[in-house]
Amino acid sequence: SRSRSSRNVDLEISSPPSVWKLEPDDVGDGKEVERKVFFGMGENSHTKNVARGKAYKSVARDNAIQTGKYNLLTFWPQNLFEQFQRTANQYFLFLVLLMIAPMIPESLPFYTMTAPLALVLILTAMKDAVADRKRHVADKLVNNRIALRRFGDMWEEVKWSKIRIGDTIMVKKNDPVPADMVMLLSSDETGKCN
């Protein structure tokens, strides 16, 4: 049996690789714990191809979170479309179009209806842009958090956004869970997650 260490994570892996011995400091109660774990997929294809030095592109989606609605190219078209879903904006646009029509005599100057509509559209777009920017910043913070992923018989630090389906992830006590997961092993003697 051999011992591997990667950034404060000590894990002793004996043969076969599905038997893990957690060191007492990992368990937290001073006891050495041995657990047998069955991996339905074994090492995932990402790990195998990277270990062989092959280039790998996953067909599965990554774990990146994206809650922002817009990007630079789609902001104005999408935002204006959303704004004209509101009845009030449709009404004022209809009035502006009526004022442009040559068959209706102009009673008020054109800008009396165009200016308020433009002002409302621009202010709403600015508010939406600020809110969307905050969503993009929050997404980036979450996506750049670090998790521990099994890589062969070692653990490597990986960003949450780079976690793939089939990866084996270590989550320590009181750590946030980086993705939808199935628990394979717990250091708790009752086998529960804390």
Side-chain angles (χ1 to χ4, degrees):
S1 121
R2 57 185 184 245
S3 181
R4 301 275 184 191
S5 175
S6 173
R7 297 197 185 168
N8 301 331
V9 178
D10 292 326
L11 181 68
E12 187 176 312
I13 299 179
S14 60
S15 190
S18 59
V19 178
W20 291 359
K21 284 188 178 178
L22 297 173
E23 298 296 327
D25 59 333
D26 291 333
V27 178
D29 59 1
K31 297 179 189 174
E32 184 175 303
V33 178
E34 181 178 58
R35 298 274 195 250
K36 290 186 179 182
V37 180
F38 173 74
F39 296 98
M41 296 175 65
E43 292 182 74
N44 64 33
S45 55
H46 171 70
T47 305
K48 288 178 184 176
N49 285 330
V50 170
R52 293 181 192 143
K54 295 181 180 176
Y56 177 75
K57 182 164 174 79
S58 175
V59 292
R61 285 191 55 134
D62 58 10
N63 194 43
I65 293 175
Q66 183 179 356
T67 58
K69 291 168 45 173
Y70 312 109
N71 63 37
L72 290 176
L73 294 175
T74 64
F75 177 76
W76 282 109
Q78 189 173 349
N79 187 269
L80 288 173
F81 177 76
E82 289 174 2
Q83 287 194 56
F84 281 113
Q85 298 299 310
R86 299 182 185 121
T87 308
N89 290 346
Q90 291 173 2
Y91 172 75
F92 283 106
L93 179 63
F94 177 71
L95 289 179
V96 167
L97 293 175
L98 280 178
M99 294 179 90
I100 293 173
M103 64 192 115
I104 299 178
E106 196 175 321
S107 58
L108 293 173
F110 177 75
Y111 60 85
T112 58
M113 294 306 264
T114 309
L117 177 62
L119 182 67
V120 166
L121 293 176
I122 290 170
L123 290 177
T124 304
M126 288 171 51
K127 176 190 68 83
D128 291 344
V130 168
D132 197 60
R133 176 70 182 140
K134 287 180 182 177
R135 282 192 292 268
H136 281 288
V137 168
D139 292 347
K140 190 173 184 178
L141 288 173
V142 170
N143 288 332
N144 287 328
R145 287 184 180 173
I146 300 296
L148 292 172
R149 175 173 64 187
R150 183 172 178 217
F151 185 77
D153 26 339
M154 295 179 60
W155 294 94
E156 68 174 348
E157 289 187 345
V158 63
K159 292 180 180 180
W160 280 16
S161 62
K162 301 299 180 192
I163 294 173
R164 303 273 189 246
I165 295 171
D167 285 346
T168 304
I169 305 296
M170 180 188 294
V171 179
K172 294 188 177 189
K173 187 174 184 175
N174 297 326
D175 280 352
V177 178
D180 293 340
M181 300 172 70
V182 175
M183 184 177 72
L184 301 175
L185 172 72
S186 174
S187 60
D188 188 76
E189 57 189 44
T190 62
K192 294 181 179 177
C193 235
N194 292 327

